[in-house]
Amino acid sequence: MQRVASSVLHRSYLYVPASSSRMLQKSLTAPADVLIYDLEDSVAPNAKNDARSRLAQFLEDNKGDLAPKQFAVRINDTETSFFKPDIDFTFKSGIKTIVLPKVHSEENLRRLACHASRPTSVIASIESARAMYNLGAIAKWKTPKISIGALLFAAEDYCADTSIIRTPSRLELLYTRSQIVIAAKAFGLEAIDMVCVNYKDDSYLKEECEDGRRLGFTGKQAIHPSQIETINHTFVPTPKEIDRAARILHAMTLAHSSEADAKGAVGLDGEMIDAPMLKQAESTISAAKAAGLEIPDVRENSQT
């Protein structure tokens, strides 16, 4: 969740209601790359204060177990009466990453920055037409203490705001999702895809994950622990992609190292391979290594 390239995996983001002691405790063994302890949508208005206190105690009691984990806290938005106590709690607790909902413009970020007492990374939740209109300004926003680490797409809120009718094809959200990815990539941010609300349909979840990865998203939100495995397995390069990337790297290494006939481009599998494809291959191998996937030795059977 930083503006620099990282080998740390950010594929799955699991929401954990802070109002449930049972779910808080279960989160310690969840295989999600990032845990999002939630004070917003999953907590009823009359339970907000208790949830905040419960989360504070949980974080204090489980410092050792949480130390190696990546986690964030989703606070309530800047227009609510819960925002100020939420933000005071997060800074007091030393939480490094905040999910800020309903970021419609830079103004919401400025309100957050007014309370910042130390450097904090913010995952900006894109939920409205206004947010899309101001997307570039949101993505590039930064102060000495607050920086944007990721853009997160809240599809259901967005559809409610824009009157878009959701369909299984997701075509009505193609433009929006693509623009979020482009804005994120333009400013070196993570791009986090929408929740799959059909959490009991594994085949649809996989299809949606594959769709998101093709669009360029780096990870996906999860509302149930059963979704994590599919998300984690999908948001990594496939064996075929890894093999091809390894062969591109090998072929380009040979082409660049030839003293007699160094080349900037080579032929591979009937395609011309040059610098942009080399960059993609390097990214694929880096992601595969981060996920602990096997990188094939292609030195003996590479075809040029």
Side-chain angles (χ1 to χ4, degrees), residues 69-129:
K69 294 182 178 294
Q70 300 180 84
F71 68 91
V73 172
R74 181 165 71 169
I75 62 175
N76 288 277
D77 73 79
T78 59
E79 301 295 330
T80 69
S81 61
F82 305 110
F83 170 71
K84 181 60 164 62
D86 281 356
I87 204 65
D88 288 346
F89 150 69
T90 55
F91 286 125
K92 181 180 179 181
S93 299
I95 292 161
K96 298 178 181 179
T97 303
I98 293 171
V99 179
L100 183 62
K102 298 176 177 58
V103 179
H104 304 307
S105 70
E106 297 166 279
E107 179 58 29
N108 301 106
L109 297 168
R110 280 193 285 268
R111 291 180 186 179
L112 173 63
C114 287
H115 302 280
S117 57
R118 54 177 177 70
T120 302
S121 178
V122 172
I123 298 176
S125 187
I126 306 303
E127 310 185 15
S128 66

Coordinates of all heavy atoms in Angstrom, one line a residue, residues 69-129:
K69 N 1.3 -9.2 10.2 CA 0.2 -9.1 9.3 C 0.0 -7.7 8.7 O 0.5 -6.8 9.3 CB -1.1 -9.6 9.9 CG -1.2 -11.0 10.3 CD -2.5 -11.4 10.9 CE -2.6 -12.8 11.3 NZ -2.6 -13.7 10.1
Q70 N -0.6 -7.6 7.5 CA -0.9 -6.4 6.9 C -2.4 -6.1 7.2 O -3.2 -6.9 6.9 CB -0.7 -6.4 5.4 CG 0.7 -6.7 5.0 CD 0.8 -6.7 3.5 OE1 1.0 -5.6 2.9 NE2 0.8 -7.8 2.9
F71 N -2.7 -5.0 7.9 CA -4.1 -4.7 8.1 C -4.3 -3.2 8.1 O -3.4 -2.4 8.2 CB -4.5 -5.2 9.5 CG -3.9 -4.6 10.7 CD1 -4.5 -3.5 11.3 CD2 -2.7 -5.1 11.2 CE1 -3.9 -2.9 12.4 CE2 -2.1 -4.5 12.3 CZ -2.7 -3.4 12.9
A72 N -5.6 -2.9 7.9 CA -6.1 -1.5 7.8 C -7.4 -1.4 8.6 O -8.0 -2.4 9.0 CB -6.3 -1.0 6.4
V73 N -7.8 -0.2 8.9 CA -9.1 0.1 9.5 C -9.9 0.9 8.6 O -9.5 2.0 8.2 CB -8.9 0.7 10.9 CG1 -10.3 1.1 11.4 CG2 -8.2 -0.2 11.9
R74 N -11.1 0.5 8.3 CA -12.1 1.3 7.6 C -12.9 2.1 8.6 O -13.6 1.6 9.4 CB -13.0 0.5 6.7 CG -14.0 1.4 5.9 CD -14.7 0.7 4.7 NE -15.6 -0.2 5.2 CZ -16.5 -0.8 4.3 NH1 -16.5 -0.5 3.1 NH2 -17.4 -1.7 4.8
I75 N -12.7 3.4 8.5 CA -13.4 4.3 9.5 C -14.7 4.8 8.8 O -15.0 4.5 7.6 CB -12.5 5.5 9.8 CG1 -12.2 6.3 8.6 CG2 -11.2 5.0 10.5 CD1 -11.4 7.6 8.9
N76 N -15.5 5.6 9.5 CA -16.7 6.2 8.9 C -16.3 7.4 8.2 O -15.3 8.1 8.4 CB -17.7 6.4 10.0 CG -18.3 5.2 10.6 OD1 -19.2 4.6 10.0 ND2 -17.8 4.6 11.7
D77 N -17.1 7.8 7.2 CA -16.8 8.9 6.3 C -16.8 10.2 7.0 O -17.3 10.4 8.1 CB -17.7 8.9 5.1 CG -19.1 9.4 5.4 OD1 -19.3 10.6 5.4 OD2 -20.0 8.5 5.5
T78 N -16.2 11.2 6.3 CA -15.9 12.5 6.9 C -17.2 13.3 7.2 O -17.1 14.3 8.0 CB -15.1 13.4 6.0 OG1 -15.7 13.5 4.7 CG2 -13.7 12.7 5.8
E79 N -18.3 12.9 6.7 CA -19.6 13.6 6.9 C -20.4 13.1 8.1 O -21.4 13.7 8.5 CB -20.5 13.5 5.7 CG -19.9 14.0 4.4 CD -19.6 15.5 4.4 OE1 -20.4 16.2 5.1 OE2 -18.7 16.0 3.8
T80 N -19.9 12.1 8.8 CA -20.6 11.5 9.9 C -20.1 12.0 11.2 O -18.9 12.5 11.3 CB -20.5 10.0 9.9 OG1 -19.2 9.6 10.1 CG2 -20.9 9.4 8.5
S81 N -20.9 11.8 12.3 CA -20.5 12.2 13.6 C -19.5 11.2 14.2 O -18.8 11.4 15.2 CB -21.7 12.2 14.5 OG -22.3 10.9 14.6
F82 N -19.3 10.0 13.5 CA -18.4 9.0 14.0 C -17.0 9.2 13.5 O -16.0 8.6 13.9 CB -18.9 7.6 13.5 CG -20.3 7.3 13.9 CD1 -21.3 7.2 13.0 CD2 -20.6 7.0 15.3 CE1 -22.6 6.9 13.4 CE2 -21.9 6.8 15.6 CZ -22.9 6.7 14.7
F83 N -16.8 10.1 12.5 CA -15.5 10.3 11.8 C -14.4 10.7 12.8 O -13.4 10.2 12.9 CB -15.6 11.3 10.7 CG -14.3 11.8 10.2 CD1 -13.5 10.9 9.4 CD2 -13.8 13.0 10.4 CE1 -12.3 11.3 8.9 CE2 -12.6 13.5 9.9 CZ -11.8 12.6 9.2
K84 N -14.7 11.8 13.6 CA -13.7 12.3 14.5 C -13.3 11.3 15.6 O -12.1 11.1 15.8 CB -14.3 13.6 15.2 CG -13.3 14.3 16.2 CD -12.1 14.7 15.5 CE -11.3 15.7 16.4 NZ -10.8 15.2 17.6
P85 N -14.2 10.6 16.3 CA -13.7 9.6 17.2 C -13.0 8.5 16.5 O -12.0 7.9 17.1 CB -15.0 9.1 18.0 CG -16.1 9.6 17.1 CD -15.7 10.8 16.4
D86 N -13.4 8.1 15.3 CA -12.7 7.0 14.6 C -11.3 7.4 14.3 O -10.4 6.7 14.5 CB -13.5 6.7 13.3 CG -14.7 5.9 13.4 OD1 -14.9 5.4 14.6 OD2 -15.4 5.6 12.4
I87 N -11.1 8.6 13.8 CA -9.8 9.1 13.3 C -8.9 9.3 14.6 O -7.7 9.0 14.5 CB -9.9 10.3 12.5 CG1 -8.6 10.4 11.6 CG2 -10.1 11.6 13.2 CD1 -8.5 9.3 10.6
D88 N -9.4 9.8 15.6 CA -8.7 9.9 16.9 C -8.2 8.5 17.3 O -7.0 8.4 17.8 CB -9.5 10.6 18.0 CG -9.7 12.0 17.7 OD1 -9.0 12.6 16.9 OD2 -10.6 12.6 18.4
F89 N -9.0 7.6 17.3 CA -8.7 6.2 17.7 C -7.6 5.6 16.8 O -6.6 5.0 17.3 CB -9.9 5.3 17.6 CG -9.6 3.9 17.3 CD1 -9.0 3.0 18.2 CD2 -10.0 3.3 16.1 CE1 -8.7 1.7 17.9 CE2 -9.8 2.0 15.7 CZ -9.1 1.2 16.6
T90 N -7.7 5.8 15.5 CA -6.7 5.2 14.6 C -5.3 5.8 14.8 O -4.3 5.1 14.8 CB -7.1 5.4 13.1 OG1 -7.3 6.8 12.8 CG2 -8.4 4.6 12.8
F91 N -5.2 7.1 14.9 CA -3.9 7.7 15.2 C -3.3 7.3 16.5 O -2.1 7.1 16.7 CB -4.0 9.2 15.0 CG -4.1 9.7 13.5 CD1 -5.2 10.5 13.1 CD2 -3.2 9.2 12.6 CE1 -5.3 10.8 11.8 CE2 -3.3 9.6 11.3 CZ -4.4 10.4 10.9
K92 N -4.2 7.3 17.5 CA -3.7 6.9 18.9 C -3.3 5.5 18.9 O -2.3 5.1 19.6 CB -4.9 7.1 19.9 CG -4.5 6.8 21.3 CD -5.7 7.0 22.2 CE -5.3 6.6 23.7 NZ -6.5 6.8 24.6
S93 N -3.9 4.6 18.1 CA -3.5 3.2 18.1 C -2.3 2.8 17.2 O -1.9 1.7 17.2 CB -4.8 2.3 17.6 OG -5.9 2.5 18.5
G94 N -1.8 3.8 16.5 CA -0.7 3.6 15.6 C -1.0 2.8 14.4 O -0.1 2.2 13.8
I95 N -2.2 2.9 13.9 CA -2.6 2.2 12.7 C -2.0 2.9 11.5 O -2.1 4.1 11.3 CB -4.2 2.1 12.6 CG1 -4.7 1.2 13.7 CG2 -4.6 1.6 11.2 CD1 -6.2 1.4 14.0
K96 N -1.3 2.1 10.6 CA -0.6 2.7 9.5 C -1.4 2.9 8.3 O -1.0 3.7 7.4 CB 0.6 1.7 9.2 CG 1.6 1.6 10.3 CD 2.7 0.6 10.0 CE 3.7 0.4 11.1 NZ 4.8 -0.5 10.8
T97 N -2.5 2.2 8.1 CA -3.3 2.3 6.9 C -4.7 2.5 7.2 O -5.3 1.7 8.0 CB -3.1 1.1 6.0 OG1 -1.7 0.9 5.7 CG2 -3.9 1.3 4.7
I98 N -5.4 3.5 6.6 CA -6.8 3.8 6.8 C -7.5 3.6 5.5 O -7.1 4.1 4.5 CB -7.0 5.2 7.4 CG1 -6.4 5.4 8.8 CG2 -8.5 5.6 7.3 CD1 -6.4 6.8 9.2
V99 N -8.7 3.0 5.6 CA -9.6 2.9 4.4 C -10.6 4.1 4.7 O -11.3 4.0 5.6 CB -10.3 1.6 4.3 CG1 -11.3 1.6 3.1 CG2 -9.3 0.5 4.1
L100 N -10.6 5.1 3.8 CA -11.5 6.2 3.9 C -12.6 6.0 2.9 O -12.4 6.1 1.7 CB -10.8 7.5 3.7 CG -11.6 8.8 3.9 CD1 -12.1 8.9 5.3 CD2 -10.9 10.0 3.5
P101 N -13.9 5.8 3.4 CA -15.0 5.6 2.5 C -15.5 7.0 2.0 O -15.2 8.0 2.5 CB -16.0 5.0 3.4 CG -15.7 5.4 4.8 CD -14.2 5.6 4.8
K102 N -16.2 6.9 0.9 CA -16.9 8.0 0.3 C -16.0 9.2 0.1 O -16.3 10.4 0.5 CB -18.1 8.4 1.2 CG -19.2 7.3 1.3 CD -20.3 7.7 2.2 CE -21.3 6.6 2.2 NZ -20.8 5.2 2.6
V103 N -14.9 8.9 -0.6 CA -14.0 10.0 -1.0 C -14.5 10.5 -2.3 O -14.3 10.0 -3.4 CB -12.5 9.4 -1.2 CG1 -11.6 10.6 -1.6 CG2 -12.0 8.8 0.1
H104 N -15.2 11.6 -2.3 CA -15.8 12.2 -3.5 C -14.9 13.2 -4.1 O -15.0 13.5 -5.3 CB -17.1 12.9 -3.1 CG -18.1 12.1 -2.4 ND1 -18.5 10.9 -2.9 CD2 -18.8 12.2 -1.2 CE1 -19.4 10.3 -2.1 NE2 -19.6 11.1 -1.0
S105 N -14.0 13.8 -3.3 CA -13.1 14.8 -3.9 C -11.9 15.0 -2.9 O -11.8 14.3 -1.8 CB -13.8 16.2 -4.0 OG -14.1 16.7 -2.7
E106 N -11.0 15.9 -3.3 CA -9.9 16.2 -2.4 C -10.3 16.8 -1.0 O -9.6 16.6 0.0 CB -9.0 17.3 -3.1 CG -8.4 16.8 -4.4 CD -7.8 18.0 -5.1 OE1 -8.6 18.7 -5.8 OE2 -6.6 18.2 -5.1
E107 N -11.5 17.4 -1.0 CA -12.0 17.9 0.3 C -12.1 16.9 1.4 O -11.8 17.2 2.5 CB -13.3 18.6 0.1 CG -13.9 19.2 1.3 CD -13.0 20.3 2.0 OE1 -12.3 20.9 1.3 OE2 -13.1 20.4 3.2
N108 N -12.5 15.7 1.0 CA -12.6 14.6 2.0 C -11.3 14.2 2.6 O -11.1 13.9 3.8 CB -13.3 13.4 1.4 CG -14.7 13.7 0.9 OD1 -14.9 13.7 -0.3 ND2 -15.7 13.8 1.8
L109 N -10.3 14.3 1.7 CA -8.9 14.0 2.1 C -8.3 15.1 3.0 O -7.6 14.8 3.9 CB -8.0 13.7 0.9 CG -8.5 12.5 0.0 CD1 -7.7 12.5 -1.3 CD2 -8.2 11.2 0.8
R110 N -8.7 16.3 2.6 CA -8.2 17.4 3.4 C -8.7 17.4 4.9 O -8.0 17.7 5.8 CB -8.6 18.8 2.8 CG -7.6 19.2 1.6 CD -7.9 20.6 1.2 NE -9.1 20.8 0.5 CZ -9.2 20.7 -0.9 NH1 -8.1 20.5 -1.6 NH2 -10.3 20.9 -1.5
R111 N -10.0 17.0 5.0 CA -10.6 16.8 6.3 C -9.8 15.8 7.1 O -9.7 15.9 8.3 CB -12.1 16.5 6.2 CG -12.9 17.6 5.6 CD -14.4 17.2 5.5 NE -15.1 18.3 4.8 CZ -16.4 18.2 4.6 NH1 -17.1 17.1 5.0 NH2 -17.1 19.1 4.0
L112 N -9.4 14.7 6.5 CA -8.7 13.7 7.2 C -7.3 14.2 7.6 O -6.8 14.0 8.7 CB -8.5 12.5 6.2 CG -7.6 11.3 6.7 CD1 -8.1 10.7 8.0 CD2 -7.4 10.3 5.6
A113 N -6.7 14.9 6.6 CA -5.3 15.4 6.9 C -5.3 16.4 8.0 O -4.2 16.5 8.7 CB -4.8 16.1 5.6
C114 N -6.4 17.1 8.3 CA -6.4 18.1 9.4 C -6.2 17.4 10.7 O -5.7 18.1 11.7 CB -7.8 18.8 9.4 SG -8.0 20.0 8.1
H115 N -6.4 16.1 10.8 CA -6.3 15.4 12.1 C -5.1 14.5 12.2 O -4.9 13.8 13.2 CB -7.6 14.5 12.3 CG -8.8 15.3 12.3 ND1 -9.3 16.0 13.4 CD2 -9.8 15.5 11.3 CE1 -10.4 16.6 13.1 NE2 -10.8 16.3 11.9
A116 N -4.3 14.5 11.1 CA -3.1 13.6 11.0 C -2.1 14.0 12.0 O -1.6 15.1 12.0 CB -2.6 13.6 9.6
S117 N -1.6 13.1 12.8 CA -0.6 13.3 13.8 C 0.7 12.6 13.4 O 1.7 12.8 14.1 CB -1.0 12.9 15.2 OG -1.4 11.5 15.2
R118 N 0.7 11.8 12.4 CA 1.9 11.0 11.9 C 1.6 10.5 10.5 O 0.5 10.5 10.0 CB 2.1 9.8 12.8 CG 0.9 8.9 13.0 CD 1.2 7.7 13.9 NE -0.1 7.0 14.0 CZ -0.7 6.3 13.1 NH1 -0.1 6.3 11.9 NH2 -1.8 5.6 13.3
P119 N 2.7 10.0 9.8 CA 2.5 9.6 8.4 C 1.5 8.4 8.3 O 1.6 7.4 9.1 CB 3.9 9.2 8.0 CG 4.8 10.0 8.9 CD 4.1 10.1 10.2
T120 N 0.6 8.4 7.4 CA -0.4 7.4 7.3 C -0.7 7.2 5.8 O -0.8 8.2 5.0 CB -1.7 7.8 8.0 OG1 -1.4 8.0 9.4 CG2 -2.8 6.7 7.9
S121 N -0.9 5.9 5.4 CA -1.3 5.6 4.1 C -2.8 5.5 4.0 O -3.4 4.9 4.9 CB -0.7 4.3 3.6 OG -1.1 3.9 2.3
V122 N -3.5 6.0 3.0 CA -4.9 6.0 2.9 C -5.3 5.2 1.6 O -4.8 5.4 0.5 CB -5.5 7.4 2.8 CG1 -7.0 7.4 2.4 CG2 -5.2 8.1 4.1
I123 N -6.3 4.3 1.8 CA -6.9 3.6 0.7 C -8.2 4.4 0.4 O -9.1 4.4 1.3 CB -7.2 2.1 1.0 CG1 -5.9 1.4 1.3 CG2 -8.0 1.5 -0.1 CD1 -6.2 -0.1 1.7
A124 N -8.3 5.1 -0.7 CA -9.4 5.9 -1.0 C -10.5 5.1 -1.7 O -10.3 4.5 -2.7 CB -9.0 7.1 -1.9
S125 N -11.7 5.1 -1.1 CA -12.8 4.3 -1.6 C -13.6 5.2 -2.6 O -14.2 6.2 -2.2 CB -13.7 3.9 -0.4 OG -14.7 3.0 -0.9
I126 N -13.7 4.7 -3.8 CA -14.4 5.4 -4.9 C -15.8 4.9 -5.0 O -16.0 3.7 -5.4 CB -13.6 5.2 -6.2 CG1 -12.2 5.6 -6.1 CG2 -14.3 6.0 -7.4 CD1 -11.9 7.0 -5.6
E127 N -16.8 5.7 -4.7 CA -18.1 5.3 -4.5 C -19.2 6.1 -5.2 O -20.4 5.9 -5.0 CB -18.5 5.2 -3.0 CG -17.5 4.5 -2.1 CD -17.9 4.4 -0.7 OE1 -19.1 4.6 -0.4 OE2 -17.0 4.1 0.2
S128 N -18.8 7.1 -6.0 CA -19.8 8.0 -6.5 C -19.4 8.6 -7.8 O -18.2 8.5 -8.3 CB -20.0 9.2 -5.5 OG -18.8 10.0 -5.4
A129 N -20.4 9.3 -8.5 CA -20.1 9.9 -9.8 C -19.1 11.1 -9.5 O -18.2 11.3 -10.4 CB -21.4 10.5 -10.4

